[in-house]
Every structure is written in C-alpha cells, then in structure tokens.
C-alpha cells in the first residue's frame, strides 16, 4: 500500500485534513477531514506500512486487548476502503512521470531581456507589468489598467513563432486544454491546438513570461492569448501575497462584498438580486484579487472577469465573503474557523500545482479569515435571498 503523490496532510485551525494539489485538483479529488486516529494511520501509511503494522499502531493507540482486534480490523478495512475510493491510496506501483529535465540551459529569458522595444505598462493589485507585444491586444484588454513607466514586477513578451527546445521536465498537471511542466526555474504551459499558442513559459519567481503564438496579430486568437496570460499573472501575484478568488463582487456600504461557490451555485444570480433590489453595482463578475495591507484586507481590480464583461480598476476595502449553497430555503449560517479557511482556499484559482503552492494559498486563507466577515448562505434564487443576506450583513457591521 502506498499514499500517492498529490495529497498533503496539514492542519486547519488545529484540525487535520488531507488536501489535494496539482493533478489531483484537476481530477476533482476531494479534501478529507481526519480524526486523530485517521491522521495517525495516514502518517504510518506514508512510511510504507502494511496492514498488519497499521493494525498494531491502531491497537496501541486505543490500548486494546485481543478481544477488540476484530472490531479494529473492521474499522481499519473501512478506513482503507474510503481512502482507496477517494484516490488517496494505491496498491500498485506509481505511474512513471515524464523524464526529468536535462542539464540543457534554456536561453528564452536572457535573449528577450535584451529586447529594446519601448514597452507599455499596466498595473494590477499594486504590481506593475511591462508589455512587449501587439498594441491592439494591449488596448483591447489592458488599456484601462495603464500606468506610467516603472520598474516591472513581471515582463510580458508576446511573439510569433515557435520557441527554442526545452525539455518536458516534471509533469505538474494535465487536462485536455492545458499541460503544465516544471523545468528548473520555469513553468512551461502547453495549450490545446485550437488556442493558437505554441506554448508559454513563465519564470517561477514571476519576473518574466514569454508567450509564443502561431500569429500574435491574429485577432481570432486574441481572447485565448488574454486568458493564457492570466496564468502568468497568477504566478506573479501569488509571489507578492495576492490571491485570486473565484467570486462575484458587489459594492455595498463603501466596501466590496464577495459571493463565492462552485460553478452553477448562482453567484451571478444572487449578485443580480442585490443589483435589482438595492442598486448595488457589480465590481467583477467572476474573479477578484485579494490582499492584506497594513493588517486590513482589500479587493483589487483585474481585467479577467469571465463572460460577464464587468470589472473594476479600483481598489476597495473588503467587507466580507459569502459562500453560497443552493437550498429550498434562505438561511445564513456561521462557519467554524477550519471551514472558513478551507472554503476560502478551495475557491482560489491561484496556483496549486505543488504541495508548497497549495500550502501558500492555505496560509493566506488562514490569515485572511479572521480579518473579514465570512458567511454561509443556504439560498433560493428568489429576491428574499438577498434580503436575508443583507439583513445579516447589516447586523454584523
């Protein structure tokens, strides 16, 4: 038996959890809350223990005699079956990974750093980006975020043509649309052929991103290029303690309030209920950048907004976050500290390709949760849902 890569055991508010990362998240693996004995068994499994060793550890933990062994064996079988069902336990040898990267030195970034074209600049969340690429693409998607020339936190290069050879490295994530590799100090992104993009390479420290297009001036692929660049932004933002939450934001009582939940939960529907009833403007219809400055949480504008076409360039103090759940009634519930942090982390789209990246997101979630108001709203799609939520917010202010 073996615990597979892709899960990390950690604690949230003192409670042990198994959390997926990388490919496991892409495969929609679940998180699992553990009790004390479950956490002990996982640690023992991680050392390669067999079933008899696990049973001995369990017997010692409960200080049981031989009469209790049948019950412990049954409990252990149920635990192992649950882990296997959730993809957290393997009885087979792990699949081979992509070959490790070679010692070949890639010259992608040094060559482009010598580029002498005059860049354009834009700012998101206090980070400055210098742009070397088609003016039309910049003007379509980033012009509203333009800023004066400054030292860039990330340099963006968009060029036509195929890149120089770079070994695959270690596979981090694979879907039908995207494959991500770890190659020394670089993340390598390979997109589906219909994207019109050969690949993108981003420095792990977020300082530079190079996107190789089939035709950088092809307007048919402009939106795909725009969405691909979001990954480069997410890397730079995470490095600077800025994290992106999948959510719809509104402006109410001089602050930003976020509605978040899994796809299809009704985030936009609920925001529209507020807009229709209380005339609260929508700030961003899909994604929001969150950060903490001087001990206070803020929401920052960004151009990526899904299909809503609604975004803001302004920074707002964060009022709170509402996690939505569809129900036949409207009721606001409080959440314990571990679920507040867990829900926040699970709704982030900031990179979780490795264990360290996942834990960085979790650390931010645990820091943010006590600094803002967090609610769980079980709700219908009726106007009363907005009234119930507004009453809870008003009472908390």
């Amino acid at each position: 038996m073996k615990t597979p890569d892709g899960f990390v055991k950690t604690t949230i508010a003192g409670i042990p959890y198994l959390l997926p990362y990388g490919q496991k998240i892409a495969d929609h693996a679940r998180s699992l809350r553990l009790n004390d004995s479950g956490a002990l068994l996982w640690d023992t499994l991680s050392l390669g223990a067999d079933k008899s060793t696990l049973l001995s550890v369990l017997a010692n933990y409960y200080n049981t005699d031989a009469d209790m062994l049948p019950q412990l064996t049954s409990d252990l079988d149920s635990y192992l079956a649950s882990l296997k069902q959730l993809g957290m336990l393997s009885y087979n040898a792990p699949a081979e990974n992509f070959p490790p990267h070679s010692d070949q030195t890639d010259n992608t970034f040094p060559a482009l750093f010598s580029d002498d074209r005059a860049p354009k600049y834009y700012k998101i969340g206090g980070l400055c980006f210098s742009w070397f690429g088609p003016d039309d693409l910049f003007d379509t998607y980033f012009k509203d975020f333009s800023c004066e020339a400054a030292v860039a936190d990330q340099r963006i290069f968009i060029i036509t043509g195929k890149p120089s050879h770079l070994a695959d490295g270690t596979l981090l994530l694979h879907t039908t649309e995207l494959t991500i590799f770890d190659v020394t100090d670089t993340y390598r992104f390979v997109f589906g052929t219909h994207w019109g993009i050969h690949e993108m390479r981003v420095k792990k420290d977020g300082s530079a991103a190079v996107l190789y297009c089939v035709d950088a001036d092809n307007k048919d692929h402009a939106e795909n290029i725009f969405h691909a660049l979001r990954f480069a932004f997410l890397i730079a933002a995470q490095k600077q303690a800025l994290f992106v939450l999948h959510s719809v934001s509104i402006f109410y009582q001089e602050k930003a309030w976020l509605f978040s939940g899994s796809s299809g939960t009704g985030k936009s529907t609920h925001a529209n209920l507020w807009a229709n009833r209380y005339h609260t403007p929508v700030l961003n219809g899909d994604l929001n950048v969150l950060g903490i400055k001087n001990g206070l949480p803020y929401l920052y504008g960004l151009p990526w907004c899904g299909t809503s076409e609604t975004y803001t360039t302004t920074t707002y103090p964060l009022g709170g976050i509402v996690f939505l759940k569809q129900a036949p009634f409207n009721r606001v519930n409080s959440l314990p500290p571990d679920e507040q942090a867990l829900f926040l982390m699970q709704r982030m789209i900031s990179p979780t390709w490795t264990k360290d990246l996942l834990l960085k997101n979790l650390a931010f979630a645990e820091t943010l949760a006590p600094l803002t108001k967090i609610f769980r709203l079980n709700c219908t799609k009726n106007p009363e849902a907005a009234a119930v939520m507004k009453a809870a917010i008003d009472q908390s202010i």
Side-chain angles (χ1 to χ4, degrees):
M1 289 182 293
K2 178 179 175 60
T3 56
D5 292 335
F7 291 96
V8 58
K9 194 196 87 172
T10 188
T11 59
I12 307 176
I15 297 173
Y17 278 87
L18 290 179
L19 303 177
Y21 64 87
Q23 186 64 42
K24 293 298 182 182
I25 289 181
D27 294 338
H28 305 291
R30 290 171 49 190
S31 302
L32 180 64
R33 180 173 175 167
L34 300 172
N35 56 24
D36 291 341
S37 60
L40 176 62
L41 289 173
W42 178 266
D43 290 340
T44 309
L45 270 170
S46 299
L47 299 175
D50 57 18
K51 184 177 176 180
S52 62
T53 301
L54 294 173
L55 186 60
S56 176
V57 167
L58 200 59
N60 289 334
Y61 178 78
Y62 286 109
N63 193 25
T64 58
D65 54 28
D67 293 339
M68 287 293 295
L69 286 181
Q71 181 61 51
L72 288 182
T73 301
S74 177
D75 293 343
L76 178 60
D77 287 341
S78 296
Y79 173 78
L80 295 176
S82 296
L83 292 182
K84 186 176 181 181
Q85 184 178 16
L86 294 171
M88 298 175 175
L89 183 64
S90 173
Y91 290 88
N92 302 314
E96 291 188 5
N97 204 341
F98 279 75
H101 61 78
S102 67
D103 293 331
Q104 175 183 352
T105 301
D106 174 54
N107 62 0
T108 297
F109 297 101
L112 288 172
F113 279 175
S114 64
D115 197 304
D116 58 1
R117 291 175 294 172
K120 293 188 174 183
Y121 293 88
Y122 62 96
K123 183 171 288 188
I124 302 173
L127 302 185
C128 181
F129 300 82
S130 60
W131 173 279
F132 298 84
D135 289 345
D136 287 347
L137 189 62
F138 179 91
D139 292 340
T140 300
Y141 295 105
F142 297 101
K143 187 175 182 179
D144 289 345
F145 294 83
S146 294
C147 66
E148 297 296 325
V151 176
D153 294 286
Q154 185 178 83
R155 303 181 74 188
I156 304 290
F157 298 87
I158 301 176
I159 60 178
T160 296
K162 293 184 177 181
S164 60
H165 173 73
L166 186 64
D168 285 339
T170 301
L171 176 68
L172 296 177
L173 181 148
H174 173 71
T175 70
T176 56
E177 292 291 314
L178 174 66
T179 304
I180 306 176
F181 298 96
D182 178 337
V183 189
T184 318
D185 63 348
T186 301
Y187 291 120
R188 176 175 176 244
F189 297 78
V190 179
F191 299 90
T193 55
H194 66 277
W195 283 65
I197 301 170
H198 292 299
E199 66 179 63
M200 181 172 69
R201 299 174 183 178
V202 185
K203 299 287 283 186
K204 285 184 180 178
D205 64 6
S207 62
V210 185
L211 200 154
Y212 297 90
C213 303
V214 175
D215 182 357
D217 293 307
N218 189 331
K219 290 182 172 56
D220 292 339
H221 296 142
E223 187 173 356
N224 290 335
I225 294 172
F226 169 63
H227 288 302
L229 288 172
R230 189 184 72 183
F231 291 102
F233 168 77
L234 292 174
I235 293 169
Q238 189 182 52
K239 279 290 183 180
Q240 300 298 325
L242 295 169
F243 297 80
V244 179
L245 196 73
H246 186 202
S247 55
V248 177
S249 55
I250 66 168
F251 184 62
Y252 176 65
Q253 297 287 24
E254 304 302 318
K255 291 185 177 182
W257 297 83
L258 275 57
F259 303 125
S260 187
S262 57
S263 296
T265 302
K267 299 182 292 294
S268 297
T269 297
H270 191 77
N272 289 334
L273 293 178
W274 280 71
N276 294 333
R277 191 160 184 170
Y278 306 113
H279 309 292
T280 51
V282 173
L283 302 178
N284 190 298
D286 190 56
L287 297 173
N288 293 279
V289 184
L290 300 177
I292 299 171
K293 184 177 180 180
N294 298 325
L296 297 174
Y298 288 90
L299 177 146
Y300 301 93
L302 81 168
W304 294 278
C305 56
T307 59
S308 71
E309 299 184 356
T310 301
Y311 61 85
T312 182
T313 61
T314 306
T315 299
Y316 297 91
L318 179 64
I321 301 170
V322 180
F323 292 103
L324 303 178
K325 183 178 181 180
Q326 290 183 355
F329 52 84
N330 298 302
R331 185 173 65 214
V332 178
N333 296 326
S334 59
L335 291 169
D338 61 309
E339 292 189 8
Q340 290 183 20
L342 180 65
F343 287 9
L344 277 170
M345 184 201 69
Q346 289 177 331
R347 302 311 307 153
M348 290 179 188
I349 67 162
S350 300
T352 54
W353 310 319
T354 68
K355 176 176 66 176
D356 289 341
L357 295 176
L358 172 80
L359 293 178
K360 183 174 289 190
N361 289 1
L362 177 59
F364 176 77
E366 290 188 287
T367 300
L368 175 65
L371 299 179
T372 191
K373 295 174 173 57
I374 296 180
F375 306 90
R376 179 60 176 263
L377 175 64
N378 296 276
C379 61
T380 66
K381 296 183 178 181
N382 300 324
E384 182 193 0
V388 169
M389 191 65 245
K390 179 178 178 297
I393 289 176
D394 291 344
Q395 187 177 3
S396 71
I397 296 177

